[in-house]
Amino acid sequence: MIKNFARKLIDYIFDKLSVNRGNINLNDVSGALHKSWGHIFNNNLHGFYIELGVYKGNSAIKSLNNFNQMKIWFNQQKISDEHWRREVVNSSPLNQIINFHFLDTFEGMPANNENNKSFAEGNYISNLQDIKKNIEKYSKKDSNCYFYKGLFSDCENDIKKNIGLEKVAIANIDCDLESSTVDALNIVGPYLQIGSIILFDDYNCYNSNNAFGQRKAFKDYTKTSIFIFEKFFNYGYGGQSFLVVDKK
């Protein structure tokens, strides 16, 4: 309890001091999300964040936390003594609310035949209500959170209603399986824009074999997509990010 209180006190003090605490040199999920949100804010690119594969909500919280820190930096520019900085920020679409969409079965891995013990049916069980409560603590006035429980393909219609005409800023695809990644890309694909970032947390699983997992799903997807993708940065032990850079 004392440790949690101390952490909250430190967070409160840093927020009041308007200090951006992200670290661009971290090579973990938090560092990846910091770089991703840095790209979005650096380019004043508006769009929603979507996470497909939430588990216990750790990366969801890290994303909201990094977004909140970038928003502090963003708001600091509004009182800059340089006119051009104030002009850019005040006219930025990032003054609008950013929506965060979180998808998971919250009942563990779905049935699959991908023959990986780490991703076997039933692994990674979590509880939606507990996770929702924890995540929403980090959602402030600049963000809204939406939660979807079930297979990705079963959530597609509800997502469409909430997304409307918005585009993707960051898609964090952390669902391990080829089949689930295919479903995730089918959901995300129609909302991509030049500048969107896709994070594949398990891209280099299956021994980095192009015939399996997220590599296989993304390789097949790029053949039919209207967009051109470039590798951005890798992170952690198996993560890889991509940027949407052009249309075919």
Side-chain angles (χ1 to χ4, degrees):
M1 183 178 293
I2 294 175
K3 184 178 179 181
N4 288 336
F5 174 78
R7 184 183 294 114
K8 289 179 180 178
L9 179 60
I10 291 170
D11 286 344
Y12 175 80
I13 292 171
F14 274 104
D15 285 345
K16 285 298 182 183
L17 291 173
S18 296
V19 177
N20 190 333
R21 288 168 285 156
N23 188 340
I24 197 171
N25 296 312
L26 286 178
N27 193 35
D28 58 9
V29 173
S30 184
L33 290 164
H34 178 70
K35 285 191 276 282
S36 297
W37 280 116
H39 165 80
I40 298 303
F41 275 83
N42 187 56
N43 289 284
N44 288 287
L45 182 68
H46 187 270
F48 61 86
Y49 174 90
I50 185 167
E51 185 166 308
L52 302 106
V54 178
Y55 189 31
K56 294 185 177 180
N58 292 333
S59 59
I61 289 171
K62 287 180 172 66
S63 185
L64 278 161
N65 197 35
N66 276 285
F67 166 76
N68 291 335
Q69 292 302 312
M70 286 293 172
K71 195 70 178 185
I72 288 172
W73 169 84
F74 180 83
N75 288 329
Q76 285 176 333
Q77 308 308 299
K78 294 180 179 180
I79 56 173
S80 170
D81 58 3
E82 297 179 88
H83 173 73
W84 71 268
R85 293 185 186 274
R86 300 195 306 273
E87 186 175 5
V88 167
V89 171
N90 285 324
S91 62
S92 171
L94 290 173
N95 285 296
Q96 303 173 50
I97 294 290
I98 300 294
N99 293 315
F100 287 70
H101 302 273
F102 301 110
L103 292 77
D104 203 299
T105 65
F106 299 100
E107 295 178 351
M109 284 287 183
N112 66 87
N113 59 358
E114 299 191 29
N115 299 317
N116 188 308
K117 290 183 179 180
S118 296
F119 309 140
E121 182 179 1
N123 290 1
Y124 305 103
I125 294 174
S126 56
N127 182 282
L128 172 57
Q129 295 309 314
D130 291 342
I131 290 165
K132 182 178 179 182
K133 183 178 179 181
N134 288 334
I135 291 174
E136 287 181 336
K137 293 177 184 177
Y138 294 84
S139 179
K140 301 184 179 182
K141 63 180 181 179
D142 299 310
S143 58
N144 290 324
C145 292
Y146 298 89
F147 297 85
Y148 309 84
K149 184 178 188 296
L151 297 174
F152 298 157
S153 55
D154 293 337
C155 299
E156 192 167 358
N157 288 334
D158 289 335
I159 294 169
K160 287 180 179 179
K161 292 176 184 177
N162 290 329
I163 288 176
L165 299 176
E166 282 191 275
K167 297 295 184 180
V168 173
I170 302 168
N172 186 0
I173 302 179
D174 186 8
C175 53
D176 312 302
L177 305 172
E178 178 193 348
S179 55
S180 297
T181 303
V182 168
D183 290 340
L185 288 168
N186 286 338
I187 289 173
V188 169
Y191 304 101
L192 292 174
Q193 60 183 321
I194 294 176
S196 294
I197 295 176
I198 303 179
L199 301 173
F200 292 104
D201 195 69
D202 306 287
Y203 189 77
N204 289 314
C205 290
Y206 300 92
N207 300 326
S208 302
N209 190 328
N210 278 329
F212 296 95
Q214 294 196 316
R215 276 179 172 263
K216 173 66 161 55
F218 188 57
K219 180 182 177 182
D220 290 344
Y221 177 76
T222 58
K223 294 176 182 177
T224 58
S225 174
I226 64 170
F227 291 104
I228 297 172
F229 303 87
E230 283 184 4
K231 282 187 175 180
F232 193 15
F233 57 83
N234 56 28
Y235 61 99
Y237 297 112
Q240 179 67 53
S241 66
F242 290 86
L243 277 172
V244 180
V245 296
D246 205 347
K247 289 186 176 181
K248 293 178 181 176

